[in-house]
Amino acid sequence: MIPSPRDDEQVSLRDLVARAIDDIKNYLRAEIALVRARVSTAGGKAVPALGFLILAIVIAQSALTVLFAAVGALLALWIGWPGGLAVAALLALAVSGWLAWRAYKKMTGLFG
């Protein structure tokens, strides 16, 4: 660190710039430490919630699989098992494609 000048001393521009750079470095280090502390605190609290969220997604995916299989079984009464399951699979792909298209549109709206 550059020592502070007394009132009767002349301070060069070089010393002032060096002191300003040191102050900025110290400020940025303190801000980074603060952000790290906040993130680690929030991250520790979010871990259990993320576990529940992942479990909910897995259960929802299982439920959708059963739903589409049930639609295929229902359609199998009219068009046979291969046709019913094929139509159910196409229906699932159509829903998935529609959701992907909506996600794409929202993402391009964010960046474009």
Side-chain angles (χ1 to χ4, degrees), residues 47-73:
V47 169
L50 286 175
F52 286 127
L53 179 63
I54 290 170
L55 185 60
I57 290 171
V58 168
I59 291 172
Q61 182 181 6
S62 301
L64 284 174
T65 301
V66 170
L67 176 68
F68 283 117
V71 168

Side-chain angles (χ1 to χ4, degrees), residues 10-70:
Q10 288 278 335
V11 180
S12 70
L13 180 61
R14 179 186 219 176
D15 292 340
L16 287 175
V17 170
R19 192 174 317 141
I21 290 173
D22 284 341
D23 289 344
I24 290 170
K25 284 181 183 177
N26 291 333
Y27 175 76
L28 289 176
R29 284 187 187 114
E31 284 294 322
I32 289 171
L34 178 64
V35 168
R36 283 183 180 164
R38 285 182 180 173
V39 166
S40 67
T41 301
K45 291 178 182 177
V47 169
L50 286 175
F52 286 127
L53 179 63
I54 290 170
L55 185 60
I57 290 171
V58 168
I59 291 172
Q61 182 181 6
S62 301
L64 284 174
T65 301
V66 170
L67 176 68
F68 283 117

Side-chain angles (χ1 to χ4, degrees), residues 89-108:
L90 289 174
L91 179 65
L93 286 173
V95 169
S96 176
W98 177 73
L99 290 171
W101 179 253
R102 289 200 53 190
Y104 170 76
K105 284 303 204 180
K106 294 236 182 233
M107 291 299 249
T108 55

